[in-house]
Amino acid sequence: MVEEIVPPVGEPFRPRARLLQLLGDQLIGSPRLALFELVKNAYDADAAVVTVSMQNVDDAMRAEICVQDDGTGMSLATLKDIWLVPGHDHKASMREHSKRTTKGRLPLGEKGVGRFAVHKLGNRVELITREEGAPEYVMDIDWAEVANAEFLDEVRIQIDTRSPEVFIGERHGTRVTVSDLRGPVWTRGEVRRLARQITSISSPFEDKTADFSAEIEIPDHNEWLDDLPDTQALVSNAPWKFEFSIVNNVFSWKYHFRGVPGIKLEPRIAGDSMVGLLLNPDDLAEQDKLERIDGKPKPKALRSTISLSDGIGDIRGELYVFDRDRDVLSKVGYSQSLQAFLDESGGIRVYRDDIRVYNYGEQGDDWLGLDLRRVNSPTKRISNNIVVGSINLDLETSTGLKEKTNREGFVENVTLTRFKALILGALAHFEAERNIDKRELRKLLSKDRSSLGAGITRPLKQISALARKNGLSDEMDPLVQKAQRAYDEMREIMLRAGVSGMSLVIVHHEIDHGVRLLEKMVAKGDNSDRVVHHARELVGVLDSFGDLIRKGATSKHDIRAVARRALDLNSVRLSNHDVEIKLESPEGASSSFLTELPLGLILGAVTNIIDNSIYWLSSRWSDSDGIAQKRIFMRVDANAFPEGPSLIIADNGPGFSDELSDAIEPFFTRRPDGIGVGLYYANLIMQTLGGNLRLLSDEDGLIPAEYDGAALALTFRNV
């Protein structure tokens, strides 16, 4: 008997009914975030006001949450064909085709699952909605009943039509009431956090957000909402304000130091506009760190391009920054409430079309890595708990920034990495300006503090921890102990001699740089011999500084030979970065070029200056401009200044935008990746030797005209 062959039949997917329960319960991180989703839905419905009302929160059996808006409401067709269709692309299609609502809004939703956030809140949902001039539609959902059905297509949701009872007269909108609440009982603290979150849905710094606002009320406990901080009132007392924009790759910024009451430091305003924003290459995605075609290193400085903003669009930012020094806070006012506000609400939030993208800027969400940056440079960088800010994007053009399905930020992709890099580049400009006024503020408060804190103990502990992790303790521990002893001895000598503790930042600079390099070596799996060799170099740095402090390592040198030696040491780097170098150095025997100096440290100072030149040359001249565009000029002159011989270093980069007195201050830098002690280090060494560091101008007549960038002279004493 031949068995009958049955032709293949296509079988459909049959989603289980509990899928809707899973969408609401597991895709949304918290009840607060679920309510945030309902508020965003009100925005998409062209509402002007949405109110979140919480009733009977102390009674688990009677507690309910109501979210009501005055939006357009929904028709019966919308309820049946869109609301009850999970994953419907109605809003996504509107965004894709730039189809806006009557009020000109693009929908925030795009995945078609946000409406199921209500299940995170409770087991029963009543939805009442009405369009203008239409009847009222009522829909009840019992999630437990839905979940008990086997398949989703077997679930039937009843929609009743009635004469208006909620949206009577000319009123229209939607009301969602959730009861049989799930999760923990709402407490005062959680309600206050919800209130801050709901009311922050619109940027507090944008005037045009007045057409949409969110409110919260809790009739049984009105006192829970008493004394909620007024963001506008508090930020009005911030000493610093910074506004910026990146539009078509033009970076424009305005800085305002607004002063501190009771401290006689004049307010200051600065600003500028430039094509391309300087970025820290380490902040970019790997594919943006392109190697040169000839295999040479990447440029030290990178400027943004128009293509870097693809999928991001125009960016506008507004920051208000505080100083948490107790003496400053006491003069600003609202000291205790301000500190509590900064602890809970400090950070930089992101808005698209002036509606917030959660959870950027929430407590504990260091999405820009601000707190980590501040650990490495504590006095120079800002942290989340001293800034209240907003970054505003255009929803239509920021298509490369996709919100996660769980509504907790953007999907991690190349576009997001570029977005962060652009923001950090803008922050670097603010931090450079702020440090000028902050330094003066500290002087007036008589606070010359060393940023080194616990000395080099922290970075040395990092080295020890890395050594233990990689089985190198036997080789590394003796070096770490030697470094600590050398540092302690040097610090004691400096303090005994009355040298400012701030001078020790040079050690922090070198050690911190070394630790970060060591961490990279270990992460890359470098062999143990190289790791130990690098640790020995770190100890050598400390020893050389000790030599300088003891004044025991100087010897007689000819400045001409020093200049040639410096070029020899940096020749490979200069070649790799396509920098043309020219040295003018007189020939013949002459005692006028002789001076006493510690050779190693002077070479380090010259290398720091050359390193700065390479960076800023890269920022002005791109690789496509050709080798001959980047130039450094060095000249040895015995007669330029009366004190003694000089080593002049100039370039054709963008030049100094600050006074030398600012540039040589510790931690002052306009490099996004800079620590800000290179010139301080060079100046300190020159002063210790009785010489000086000068900023030259065209009027000095010491530099050829084509070197129109930065020009410095290291002037030594004759022996």
Side-chain angles (χ1 to χ4, degrees):
M1 179 177 179
V2 179
E3 185 175 340
E4 182 182 357
I5 299 176
V6 179
V9 178
E11 296 294 334
F13 281 109
R14 296 196 68 194
R16 293 275 185 176
R18 62 188 293 267
L19 177 64
L20 294 186
Q21 184 182 32
L22 294 174
L23 284 174
D25 190 31
Q26 298 187 20
L27 287 183
I28 305 298
S30 68
R32 283 189 284 116
L33 191 51
L35 280 168
F36 194 76
E37 279 298 305
L38 295 180
V39 172
K40 285 168 61 178
N41 285 345
Y43 172 87
D44 287 348
D46 263 359
V49 179
V50 57
T51 302
V52 177
S53 179
M54 309 182 76
Q55 307 276 351
N56 305 313
V57 292
D58 294 328
D59 187 338
M61 299 297 294
R62 298 170 56 232
E64 63 179 32
I65 299 174
C66 176
V67 180
Q68 181 167 324
D69 66 58
D70 59 356
T72 56
M74 288 180 279
S75 66
L76 183 61
T78 299
L79 284 173
K80 292 167 56 179
D81 300 332
I82 296 178
W83 205 97
L84 288 175
V85 180
H88 198 288
D89 64 351
H90 168 65
K91 292 183 179 180
S93 178
M94 288 183 66
R95 284 175 59 172
E96 182 180 352
H97 296 93
S98 299
K99 184 178 180 181
R100 295 179 178 270
T101 64
T102 302
K103 288 189 175 182
R105 299 173 183 172
L106 279 179
L108 299 173
E110 57 180 338
K111 295 181 173 63
V113 295
R115 68 192 69 115
F116 301 110
V118 290
H119 183 263
K120 190 75 177 182
L121 296 170
N123 294 315
R124 297 190 65 88
V125 178
E126 179 191 60
L127 184 148
I128 302 172
T129 188
R130 184 196 181 201
E131 288 185 309
E132 184 177 3
E136 208 167 65
Y137 299 108
V138 182
M139 183 168 62
D140 284 292
I141 301 176
D142 184 333
W143 287 112
E145 189 175 298
V146 170
N148 285 333
E150 187 172 5
F151 294 103
L152 193 57
D153 58 3
E154 297 174 357
V155 177
R156 293 292 180 268
I157 304 298
Q158 181 174 324
I159 302 175
D160 295 323
T161 304
R162 70 186 187 191
S163 298
E165 296 179 14
V166 174
F167 298 99
I168 58 177
E170 300 297 319
R171 296 173 63 202
H172 49 82
T174 300
R175 184 173 80 180
V176 178
T177 303
V178 185
S179 56
D180 190 12
L181 300 186
R182 305 175 67 231
V185 174
W186 288 83
T187 63
R188 177 182 181 275
E190 193 67 4
V191 168
R192 288 174 69 88
R193 282 187 283 274
L194 172 65
R196 283 193 295 271
Q197 183 174 318
I198 294 299
T199 56
S200 73
I201 189 169
S202 299
S203 172
F205 310 133
E206 294 290 328
D207 293 336
K208 61 183 178 180
T209 58
D211 68 345
F212 181 72
S213 63
E215 303 169 348
I216 184 169
E217 56 186 29
I218 177 167
D220 301 326
H221 291 286
N222 285 322
E223 73 280 3
W224 285 7
L225 301 178
D226 288 346
D227 302 320
L228 279 174
D230 183 336
T231 300
Q232 287 281 18
L234 289 173
V235 300
S236 66
N237 293 297
W240 288 278
K241 180 181 179 181
F242 185 67
E243 299 171 281
F244 72 91
S245 65
I246 306 171
V247 178
N248 294 325
N249 200 38
V250 175
F251 172 57
S252 302
W253 58 275
K254 183 177 181 181
Y255 166 92
H256 192 181
F257 172 62
R258 305 194 288 188
V260 177
I263 299 179
K264 295 182 179 179
L265 183 59
E266 289 296 315
R268 186 172 70 89
I269 296 176
D272 201 357
S273 183
M274 62 196 72
V275 176
L277 170 64
L278 275 173
L279 304 177
N280 182 353
D282 291 338
D283 293 334
L284 290 170
E286 286 302 319
Q287 71 184 65
D288 293 322
K289 303 175 186 177
L290 298 177
E291 295 289 344
R292 301 263 294 283
I293 295 175
D294 56 7
K296 293 184 177 181
K298 299 178 288 292
K300 290 185 70 66
L302 287 176
R303 284 194 182 273
S304 63
T305 60
I306 288 181
S307 62
L308 205 68
S309 294
D310 287 348
I312 299 173
D314 297 344
I315 300 174
R316 288 180 169 79
E318 187 169 351
L319 309 178
Y320 294 85
V321 180
F322 295 83
D323 190 324
R324 295 192 69 146
D325 182 281
R326 59 183 177 275
D327 292 334
V328 176
L329 275 178
S330 65
K331 297 178 184 297
V332 169
Y334 307 104
S335 178
Q336 290 187 339
S337 59
L338 177 58
Q339 290 190 73
F341 170 71
L342 290 173
D343 287 340
E344 293 188 352
S345 301
I348 298 177
R349 295 171 177 172
V350 177
Y351 295 83
R352 289 212 285 195
D353 281 8
D354 303 312
I355 299 299
R356 188 175 173 194
V357 178
Y358 191 83
N359 55 346
Y360 298 124
E362 284 297 290
Q363 188 176 16
D365 179 55
D366 188 17
W367 68 282
L368 285 170
L370 299 185
D371 296 337
L372 181 61
R373 290 166 75 248
R374 185 172 169 83
V375 167
N376 291 329
S377 301
T379 65
K380 189 184 78 169
R381 305 295 194 185
I382 64 171
S383 55
N384 286 298
N385 69 348
I386 64 171
V387 60
V388 178
S390 67
I391 304 297
N392 293 284
L393 298 167
D394 179 74
L395 183 60
E396 188 170 3
T397 56
S398 59
T399 54
L401 297 171
K402 304 287 187 180
E403 289 191 51
K404 295 178 181 177
T405 304
N406 66 0
R407 303 310 198 270
E408 294 185 1
F410 296 124
V411 174
E412 296 287 341
N413 58 19
V414 172
T415 307
L416 177 60
T417 301
R418 291 171 175 172
F419 174 54
K420 293 179 181 179
L422 290 167
I423 303 305
L424 291 172
L427 286 180
H429 276 265
F430 165 70
E431 289 167 334
E433 293 292 339
R434 172 177 172 263
N435 286 334
I436 296 174
D437 296 303
K438 184 180 176 183
R439 183 177 69 249
E440 296 303 314
L441 195 59
R442 290 292 183 269
K443 287 179 181 177
L444 291 173
L445 291 171
S446 300
K447 294 187 177 183
D448 183 20
R449 299 172 178 169
S450 170
S451 68
L452 206 50
I456 62 169
T457 300
R458 182 187 61 82
L460 288 181
K461 283 184 176 179
Q462 288 178 265
I463 295 176
S464 293
L466 285 168
R468 285 193 301 273
K469 183 178 179 181
N470 292 276
L472 298 174
S473 293
D474 290 344
E475 297 93 339
M476 296 286 286
D477 284 350
L479 292 170
V480 169
Q481 293 166 9
K482 182 178 179 181
Q484 186 69 62
R485 287 195 300 270
Y487 175 83
D488 291 341
E489 178 187 0
M490 181 175 57
R491 182 168 187 159
E492 183 179 347
I493 293 170
M494 294 181 78
L495 294 176
R496 196 163 54 232
V499 179
S500 168
M502 183 61 77
S503 298
L504 291 172
V505 298
I506 53 178
V507 181
H508 177 256
H509 175 225
E510 301 294 338
I511 293 295
D512 183 70
H513 175 76
V515 169
R516 283 185 287 158
L517 180 58
L518 182 60
E519 288 174 323
K520 290 180 181 178
M521 291 168 62
V522 174
K524 286 165 51 180
D526 280 9
N527 63 53
S528 59
D529 289 341
R530 286 196 64 201
V531 173
V532 173
H533 174 72
H534 183 64
R536 289 199 180 99
E537 287 183 340
L538 291 178
V539 174
V541 170
L542 282 168
D543 286 340
S544 64
F545 279 110
D547 289 341
L548 173 63
I549 300 304
R550 298 185 193 93
K551 299 282 187 74
T554 61
S555 56
K556 191 178 294 185
H557 292 276
D558 188 312
I559 298 300
R560 295 172 295 184
V562 172
R564 289 191 291 271
R565 179 72 181 279
L567 285 184
D568 288 341
L569 289 173
N570 290 281
S571 61
V572 175
R573 296 174 62 244
L574 291 166
S575 175
N576 284 341
H577 292 284
D578 291 336
V579 178
E580 179 186 275
I581 187 76
K582 181 179 180 181
L583 171 63
E584 286 187 1
S585 179
E587 299 293 336
S590 175
S591 61
S592 58
F593 292 102
L594 296 178
T595 189
E596 288 272 349
L597 53 81
L599 180 61
L601 293 180
I602 290 299
L603 292 174
V606 174
T607 296
N608 264 313
I609 295 172
I610 290 176
D611 184 72
N612 280 344
S613 285
I614 292 174
Y615 178 87
W616 291 108
L617 285 168
S618 296
S619 79
R620 181 179 183 183
W621 307 105
S622 68
D623 295 336
S624 61
D625 290 327
I627 294 175
Q629 294 289 356
K630 301 177 186 176
R631 301 189 185 100
I632 291 179
F633 171 78
M634 292 178 65
R635 177 180 180 180
V636 180
D637 196 312
N639 304 308
F641 302 100
E643 299 96 313
S646 296
L647 174 56
I648 296 168
I649 306 172
D651 61 45
N652 66 333
F656 278 92
S657 59
D658 302 287
E659 298 293 332
L660 184 62
S661 58
D662 290 324
I664 61 175
E665 285 290 327
F667 306 116
F668 182 86
T669 181
R670 292 194 181 275
R671 290 175 55 167
D673 61 340
I675 295 178
V677 297
L679 285 180
Y680 171 73
Y681 166 57
N683 184 63
L684 175 67
I685 290 174
M686 295 306 297
Q687 287 186 337
T688 304
L689 297 174
N692 59 60
L693 183 68
R694 281 186 168 93
L695 180 63
L696 302 182
S697 67
D698 296 339
E699 297 175 357
D700 294 308
L702 299 170
I703 310 158
E706 61 265 31
Y707 298 94
D708 57 351
L712 294 167
L714 289 80
T715 303
F716 302 86
R717 291 188 306 171
N718 280 123
V719 293

